[in-house]
């Protein structure tokens, strides 16, 4: 186990996504697994913690997620920007058909097992959320929007602890935000608001 990876209290799991990072979505079913990048993901609730993510009908990850009823969201870092772009612009189905392997093998990705769900979790990320689908067929079909209940959460303690992100001194672990066409923004310095008029 990665010595920096610690469990996050579910009541604070929303904070892992609250700043709007790009995420990697993984799912597994029937001996198959896949992972893809998603720019549209967000927290929805505190207790129980819930998330939303948009997954196009054409993606293999979505098919595995629908079949298994579970998925994982990973928050990639600056050091993973190239692989994040590659995972978001390649097809796991095509890789499997052409090479006979999945994206994890094709890109030599290291994974670890979650504590609750069966989807693989990618090593090296800043945070991980294990989720079970909250079935909403109308919005899934109409808007490609999936809701999930977070059943376990983990983060790299070097950059997230006591319910807060703190990237100072760990630039390679800063989270990334996809804009378009392979262009990303990186989280910067943090500031705390002070009360006004007191």
């Amino acid at each position: 186990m990665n010595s920096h990876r610690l469990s996050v209290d579910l009541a604070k799991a929303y904070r892992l996504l609250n700043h709007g990072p790009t995420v990697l979505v993984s799912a597994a079913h029937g001996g198959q697994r896949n992972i893809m990048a998603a720019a549209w993901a967000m927290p929805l609730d505190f207790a129980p913690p819930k998330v939303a993510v948009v997954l196009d009908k054409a993606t293999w990850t979505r098919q595995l997620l629908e079949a298994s009823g579970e998925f994982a969201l990973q928050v990639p870092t600056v050091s993973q920007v190239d692989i994040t772009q590659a995972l978001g612009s390649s097809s796991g189905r095509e890789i499997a058909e052409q090479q006979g392997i999945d994206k994890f093998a094709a890109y030599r990705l290291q994974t670890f097992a979650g504590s609750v769900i069966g989807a693989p979790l990618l090593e090296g990320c800043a945070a991980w959320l294990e989720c079970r689908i909250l079935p909403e067929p109308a919005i899934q079909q109409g808007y490609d929007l999936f809701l999930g209940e977070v059943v376990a959460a983990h983060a790299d303690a070097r950059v997230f602890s006591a319910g807060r992100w703190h990237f100072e001194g760990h630039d390679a672990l800063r989270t990334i935000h996809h804009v378009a066409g392979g262009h990303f923004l990186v989280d910067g310095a943090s500031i705390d608001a002070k009360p006004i008029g007191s």
Side-chain angles (χ1 to χ4, degrees):
M1 177 174 163
N2 181 326
S3 62
H4 299 293
R5 189 171 54 244
L6 299 175
S7 293
V8 173
D9 180 7
L10 287 180
K12 293 183 178 167
Y14 74 95
R15 297 182 183 185
L16 298 174
L17 297 180
N18 217 30
H19 63 302
T22 293
V23 297
L24 299 172
V25 185
S26 61
H29 180 73
Q32 298 179 315
R33 60 189 188 159
N34 201 45
I35 187 167
M36 62 175 278
W40 297 330
M42 62 181 281
L44 285 181
D45 205 350
F46 305 103
K50 298 179 190 74
V51 296
V53 62
V54 175
L55 301 168
D56 188 87
K57 289 176 182 66
T59 64
W60 192 20
T61 301
R62 175 173 169 163
Q63 293 176 6
L64 296 172
L65 176 153
E66 289 177 312
S68 67
E70 58 188 33
F71 62 98
L73 297 181
Q74 284 104 155
V75 180
T77 67
V78 168
S79 64
Q80 296 171 308
V81 69
D82 294 337
I83 194 62
T84 299
Q85 177 65 18
L87 294 174
S89 57
S90 62
S91 164
R93 184 180 289 111
E94 287 178 10
I95 289 171
E97 290 171 357
Q98 294 169 4
Q99 300 178 36
I101 56 176
D102 62 25
K103 277 188 185 180
F104 295 94
Y107 292 113
R108 297 184 179 141
L109 303 178
Q110 298 297 313
T111 64
F112 65 98
S115 58
V116 179
I117 67 167
L121 305 181
L122 180 64
E123 286 283 8
C125 292
W128 306 262
L129 295 97
E130 300 180 48
C131 308
R132 287 202 181 110
I133 292 177
L134 297 169
E136 292 288 349
I139 63 170
Q140 289 167 202
Q141 290 305 309
Y143 302 102
D144 296 333
L145 181 66
F146 285 80
L147 306 182
E149 179 180 343
V150 180
V151 293
H154 321 274
D156 188 316
R158 292 173 293 181
V159 292
F160 187 91
S161 60
R164 290 187 171 214
W165 288 105
H166 44 83
F167 296 108
E168 295 77 14
H170 298 284
D171 288 343
L173 294 175
R174 289 180 186 273
T175 59
I176 56 178
H177 307 260
H178 187 252
V179 180
H183 182 70
F184 292 79
L185 299 177
V186 179
D187 277 307
S190 63
I191 59 171
D192 290 319
K194 293 184 173 72
I196 296 175
S198 54

